[in-house]
Amino acid sequence: MKVILLQDVKSLGKEGEVVNVSDGYGRNYIIPKNLGLEATSKNLNDLKMRKEKERKIEQEKLEAAKDFAKSMEGKEVIVKMKAGEGGKTFGSISTKEIAKEAIEQLGMELDKKKIHLPEPIKSFGIFKVSVKLHPKVVGELSVRVEEG
């Protein structure tokens, strides 16, 4: 019996796969526990339509991430930092502060977990920061650290 899996089943397959199982296993375990459906032509067509819809949504997300990355190009976030004697800084700039300033200054909502700092910012100047917007798209934002 062919079954379309609705959930990941250990040692059988992943969600959305069509697998062959014995008739008893399919009727007595897989279908009653809502782990899968019998692979009829209607159910196979529904699966195909669902996969097409998911692919389309994923493509739209990718395009939106690319557009957002383009809108980030050339933009700069200014972060103020306290300075001590001789122009030395107190502490460092975190991704949380960068995300907060990006919302206030540019109106861009960035997730602090997706902002990547190669090393903590502990001095004044302009720094390039990468922001992972999508698994395939990475944007770049300039951060200017000023004394304040």
Side-chain angles (χ1 to χ4, degrees):
M1 152 183 260
K2 286 192 177 206
V3 176
I4 301 169
L5 296 177
L6 299 175
Q7 298 177 21
D8 293 353
V9 178
K10 191 175 181 180
S11 76
L12 191 59
K14 301 248 183 235
E15 178 183 352
E17 288 183 4
V18 178
V19 293
N20 274 323
V21 294
S22 67
D23 291 349
Y25 185 58
R27 283 195 193 95
N28 297 323
Y29 183 76
I30 300 289
I31 294 172
K33 294 203 177 214
N34 288 327
L35 299 174
L37 295 171
E38 189 173 349
T40 62
S41 60
K42 179 194 176 300
N43 290 341
L44 287 170
N45 192 35
D46 289 346
L47 174 69
K48 182 180 169 187
M49 297 296 268
R50 189 171 5 140
K51 282 187 176 181
E52 182 64 30
K53 184 177 178 183
E54 287 172 2
R55 189 192 61 73
K56 195 174 191 180
I57 290 171
E58 186 62 34
Q59 186 65 32
E60 288 172 0
K61 285 181 182 179
L62 177 64
E63 293 301 320
K66 284 180 180 178
D67 291 343
F68 194 74
K70 281 185 181 170
S71 71
M72 273 178 30
E73 278 181 24
K75 301 254 174 125
E76 186 174 77
V77 174
I78 299 169
V79 181
K80 304 234 183 251
M81 188 176 202
K82 290 186 180 178
E85 288 181 29
K88 291 197 173 190
T89 62
F90 287 123
S92 64
I93 301 292
S94 68
T95 57
K96 182 179 178 182
E97 292 166 317
I98 294 171
K100 181 180 168 229
E101 293 297 326
I103 290 173
E104 289 177 9
Q105 295 173 18
L106 305 175
M108 293 183 164
E109 197 159 323
L110 301 174
D111 186 359
K112 68 180 182 181
K113 295 174 188 159
K114 306 227 174 176
I115 298 173
H116 176 68
L117 293 173
E119 56 194 49
I121 299 175
K122 294 184 177 183
S123 59
F124 300 113
I126 298 175
F127 301 89
K128 295 287 185 188
V129 176
S130 60
V131 182
K132 190 168 186 176
L133 302 170
H134 187 273
K136 298 177 182 173
V137 180
V138 177
E140 200 168 84
L141 185 67
S142 293
V143 177
R144 180 190 301 260
V145 181
E146 295 179 345
E147 190 173 339

